Amino acid sequence: MCGIVGYIGHRDAYPIIVKGLQRLEYRGYDSAGIALYDGTDINLSKTKGKVEDLRSKSKSTISLKGSLGIGHTRWATHGVPNDVNSHPHYSNSGDLVIIHNGIIENYGSIKKALTERGYTFTSDTDTEVLVNLIEEVQKTEDVMLGQAVQIALNQVVGAYAIAVFDKKKPDEIVVAKLGSPLAIGIGENEFFIASDASPFIEFTNNAVYLKDEEMAIIRLGKEIKLRKIQNDAVAYPNILELQMNLEEIEKGGYDHFMLKEIYEQPRAILDTYRGRLLADQGLIKMVGIDQHLEKFLNANRIIIVACGTSWHAGLVAEYIFEDLARIPVEVEYASEFRYRNPVITDKDVLIAISQSGETADTLAAIKLAKEKGAFVFGVCNVVGSSIARETDAGAYTHAGPEIGVASTKAFTTQITVLTLLALKLAKEKGEFSESQFHEILTELETIPAKVEKALESNALIEIIADVYKDSPNCLYLGRGYNFPVALEGALKLKEISYIHAEGYPAAEMKHGPIALIDEHMPVIVIATKKGHYEKIVSNIQEIKSRKGKIIAIVTEGDEQVTQLADHVVEIPETSESLSPLVTTIPLQLLSYHIAVMRNCNVDQPRNLAKSVTVE
Ligand code: F6R
């Protein structure tokens, strides 16, 4: 969590940093700050609140001059969000200034030792401890900043992406990374530093992603050299040419990123299978798998690890892999898996799903599985992310940047990749005849159009949202492939509208949740024709007889559920195994409209951050 931005070069640093921070607000937005070097001194401004608040504050309080600067948007871990705890942080002398994304776990003992040596602290943060540790090393060892950072980092335990500069040496910024992402954009005699490439994409397409335990001294007029933090080994940077463009990361006329991303799904799903799904040739081509097919085919089981929405995509994948490819699957919360001493062997394949590719628990689960000899496959959206690099092989979702904190297109594109993978394995295992295989591939090609059609219900869903926007609770029910969709619908509603919502397998309702049903309880039921339709009809009857309000997602032309439900949203007919890609659309729109009507901050819900790089 937290977003960091830095600049050193020939342009004004302030607008680059502030704009960059706004693009990184998805990573945290409870406070923000900036430090600029104006040629003589450091000007620092920071505040509780959004980057917009920082912009207003800094305009009236500091000089905005300077071509060297660092900025930060925070998601609090140590210390409440307030002005003092915001980054950047000065060292005691006022010479050094730092920004940090991550957690220094042993900051307490370091702080104690520094306090005994006379250091004082104004904030409750671990970051202020780190910058003073660097200063102490600089003084006692009489070394330059780069070396001081290296020595200090060898004393800390935790995770970090840091950028620090020294006003006595204002031609360089020192950066280092362990566990949190850090990219360096390389321009013409200028460098950009950021948690991802979005802050600098309009300036340069050339970027270096630091690996864990790497640091760099970024010096004007010099080429970048990477150094290992533990020793002095020098690595030559792998300069990547980025594919991202600016349009992709702007709102493009939509009120919110979330709405834009919901509407991008037909395109995103298509991009996910483009070049991989060759229906006319009866083929699925996935470079990341072709070389490792045997691992999958000989696996005793597949273990899927993920968090949040990605975990829900994993649950859908469990149905797909078991149903279509007949491979046993277990789906685990990465946070539980990593700590529960799981039985893993080298005959297991672990699939890690993550939009950001930076989720700390998922990364830790991957490391554990690798240690035990499992083959690890990643499904990520962010190219070059830590998970993408840590896994043995993988497939990108190609959804494009997802900025809204609530995941939407990440979910459907993850399911698309996992469906392709399952189908490929099913074909290899001979689970399908050629004609069955061709049929399902052809159907997969119709999904973008079906999603487009589902999006046409937007106006109707807005009307439904208006009826239920003040409900304190909501229940989401689905069966089979659509049970995880019910979980995902409930998660979307609670995270952006703050309404308490629960997802349940429809048949489980009678084992408890039915007690909640009365005339005030809206129940959203996924009741499409394919997949236990008659059973779902019975579940709807049970809700109806207890006066619950039913909002049903039904197949076009449905009559039975339509007669029973208070509201219906029709979606095109789809096979059961592909239906989650379509049924999830109305649920995303419902939560979006309810959140807007409740005046909630849709793209940046309270207490959340887009990538959870802390435990
Ligand atoms: C919910 C949401 C989160 C993420 C979770 C995992 O809308 O966005 O639940 O799905 O934090 O994130 P990734 O997929 O980046 O590992």
Side-chain angles (χ1 to χ4, degrees):
M1 336 280 258
C2 302
I4 64 173
V5 182
Y7 177 78
I8 183 164
H10 47 83
R11 303 172 205 254
D12 279 345
Y14 175 78
I16 296 170
I17 293 172
V18 167
K19 205 160 172 202
L21 289 177
Q22 269 169 330
R23 292 200 186 130
L24 292 181
E25 268 191 319
Y26 72 85
R27 302 181 60 82
Y29 36 80
D30 57 41
S31 45
I34 189 165
L36 299 163
Y37 179 72
D38 65 7
T40 334
D41 215 340
I42 297 171
N43 294 301
L44 189 147
S45 172
K46 50 191 192 174
T47 183
K48 177 173 185 233
K50 298 267 164 71
V51 176
E52 206 40 58
D53 300 308
L54 172 69
R55 198 195 282 273
S56 320
K57 182 172 178 180
S58 37
K59 263 191 210 149
S60 55
T61 51
I62 59 165
S63 154
L64 306 180
K65 279 197 338 207
S67 299
L68 162 63
I70 53 178
H72 189 268
T73 177
R74 179 167 186 246
W75 186 84
T77 55
H78 288 71
V80 292
N82 60 23
D83 292 5
V84 175
N85 287 335
S86 312
H87 301 208
H89 288 283
Y90 277 122
S91 62
N92 273 197
S93 70
D95 288 345
L96 306 188
V97 67
I98 194 170
I99 47 174
H100 167 215
N101 166 28
I103 292 180
I104 306 300
E105 289 169 15
N106 60 339
Y107 84 108
S109 56
I110 300 173
K111 188 172 185 174
K112 190 163 171 277
L114 289 172
T115 308
E116 281 161 11
R117 276 176 243 163
Y119 282 82
T120 55
F121 298 88
T122 52
S123 76
D124 306 320
T125 65
D126 48 348
T127 308
E128 195 186 7
V129 174
L130 178 59
V131 72
N132 281 303
L133 176 64
I134 296 168
E135 177 155 292
E136 173 67 4
V137 174
Q138 240 185 348
K139 276 199 220 149
T140 51
E141 310 269 331
D142 192 21
V143 288
M144 307 289 279
L145 180 64
Q147 220 178 332
V149 168
Q150 186 178 28
I151 296 169
L153 290 179
N154 276 296
Q155 296 176 30
V156 307
V157 178
Y160 47 79
I162 59 163
V164 52
F165 72 84
D166 181 345
K167 76 173 183 194
K168 299 191 298 316
K169 192 129 188 3
D171 65 341
E172 68 179 30
I173 302 181
V174 178
V175 297
K177 166 190 156 49
L178 177 62
S180 304
L182 199 148
I184 303 170
I186 303 170
E188 286 279 312
N189 202 25
E190 60 181 346
F191 296 99
F192 306 81
I193 295 150
S195 301
D196 71 33
S198 61
F200 56 75
I201 197 66
E202 68 256 54
F203 301 105
T204 178
N205 281 325
N206 295 326
V208 174
Y209 288 87
L210 249 59
K211 297 200 186 89
D212 273 347
E213 295 168 354
E214 277 182 355
M215 59 179 291
I217 298 164
I218 300 171
R219 191 169 295 155
L220 270 186
K222 296 265 186 233
E223 280 186 5
I224 289 194
K225 279 215 187 97
L226 306 181
R227 205 191 267 179
K228 281 280 169 207
I229 293 170
Q230 291 97 332
N231 53 48
D232 282 334
V234 176
Y236 285 93
N238 179 14
I239 301 177
L240 301 176
E241 200 178 322
L242 303 174
Q243 304 296 332
M244 194 191 284
N245 65 46
L246 191 57
E247 252 167 48
E248 281 182 322
I249 51 173
E250 298 203 323
K251 275 192 211 149
Y254 288 91
D255 287 343
H256 298 96
F257 281 112
M258 181 180 178
L259 190 61
K260 174 182 174 237
E261 287 155 9
I262 290 173
Y263 272 86
E264 276 173 355
Q265 289 174 104
R267 198 266 314 140
I269 293 170
L270 184 74
D271 283 350
T272 304
Y273 70 63
R274 195 195 302 278
R276 291 170 167 165
L277 170 62
L278 308 170
D280 48 348
Q281 297 171 39
L283 260 183
I284 290 174
K285 261 174 117 177
M286 293 176 88
V287 187
I289 295 157
D290 290 336
Q291 297 160 359
H292 306 283
L293 215 49
E294 292 307 311
K295 290 271 180 204
F296 281 96
L297 296 174
N298 297 329
N300 283 343
R301 59 177 178 163
I302 292 176
I303 305 165
I304 297 179
V305 292
C307 302
T309 291
S310 298
W311 183 76
H312 295 154
L315 284 181
V316 174
E318 179 177 24
Y319 285 86
I320 305 174
F321 278 107
E322 297 208 337
D323 188 14
L324 306 185
R326 310 300 298 149
I327 300 175
V329 175
E330 283 170 33
V331 188
E332 302 246 14
Y333 285 115
S335 53
E336 287 297 314
F337 179 82
R338 62 179 290 194
Y339 285 120
R340 70 165 184 76
N341 194 15
V343 179
I344 312 167
T345 72
D346 58 4
K347 294 287 270 178
D348 291 324
V349 167
L350 183 123
I351 300 181
I353 311 172
S354 174
Q355 186 287 129
S356 61
E358 300 296 343
T359 301
D361 285 320
T362 310
L363 255 172
I366 290 170
K367 287 181 183 156
L368 176 70
K370 277 174 82 174
E371 270 164 35
K372 308 241 177 196
F375 174 76
V376 179
F377 188 85
V379 175
C380 294
N381 188 35
V382 177
V383 176
S385 54
S386 304
I387 292 177
R389 289 198 308 266
E390 192 66 40
T391 41
D392 296 311
Y396 285 117
T397 50
H398 301 308
E402 191 182 65
I403 311 284
V405 163
S407 249
T408 51
K409 60 178 180 171
F411 181 64
T412 45
T413 53
Q414 286 164 347
I415 294 173
T416 306
V417 163
L418 293 159
T419 303
L420 290 172
L421 175 55
L423 286 172
K424 190 171 174 69
L425 298 176
K427 170 91 186 301
E428 292 293 331
K429 289 184 71 205
E431 300 292 342
F432 285 131
S433 68
E434 285 297 328
S435 69
Q436 282 170 320
F437 189 61
H438 186 259
E439 197 182 316
I440 190 155
L441 295 196
T442 313
E443 192 183 348
L444 190 46
E445 282 188 327
T446 68
I447 293 296
K450 289 180 179 169
V451 170
E452 199 83 65
K453 189 92 182 97
L455 288 166
E456 286 174 15
S457 303
N458 185 43
L460 168 64
I461 293 169
E462 207 171 337
I463 294 169
I464 301 173
D466 195 39
V467 179
Y468 297 104
K469 63 179 187 298
D470 297 319
S471 302
N473 299 294
C474 249
L475 206 54
Y476 286 73
L477 302 178
R479 297 185 78 124
Y481 279 88
N482 281 300
F483 156 54
V485 176
L487 293 178
E488 174 59 9
L491 175 62
K492 284 292 84 90
L493 187 71
K494 60 189 148 195
E495 70 181 327
I496 62 167
S497 73
Y498 318 138
I499 292 176
H500 169 243
E502 288 200 50
Y504 252 89
E508 271 294 304
M509 202 184 50
K510 55 186 171 298
H511 299 288
I514 199 161
L516 294 168
I517 302 218
D518 62 15
E519 68 273 29
H520 306 296
M521 176 66 95
V523 186
I524 294 103
V525 191
I526 303 153
T528 47
K529 277 270 157 58
K530 306 260 172 68
H532 321 289
Y533 181 71
E534 293 304 330
K535 307 262 181 230
I536 283 272
V537 172
S538 309
N539 297 138
I540 290 176
Q541 302 269 22
E542 289 158 12
I543 303 163
K544 188 91 192 145
S545 52
R546 283 152 186 94
K547 301 198 174 65
K549 298 282 179 280
I550 296 153
I551 303 150
I553 314 301
V554 299
T555 309
E556 266 166 356
D558 176 279
E559 286 177 5
Q560 225 176 328
V561 173
T562 303
Q563 278 174 11
L564 294 170
D566 296 273
H567 311 268
V568 290
V569 178
E570 291 194 340
I571 57 162
E573 183 158 356
T574 322
S575 70
E576 196 192 355
S577 58
L578 299 181
S579 65
L581 293 166
V582 188
T583 52
T584 197
I585 306 297
L587 307 191
Q588 294 171 347
L589 287 169
L590 184 66
S591 60
Y592 171 77
H593 288 300
I594 290 180
V596 171
M597 287 169 190
R598 288 165 68 92
N599 284 323
C600 295
N601 187 337
V602 171
D603 284 333
Q604 295 170 347
R606 69 184 180 207
N607 305 339
L608 291 175
K610 185 75 183 158
S611 40
V612 186
T613 54
V614 292
E615 276 192 49

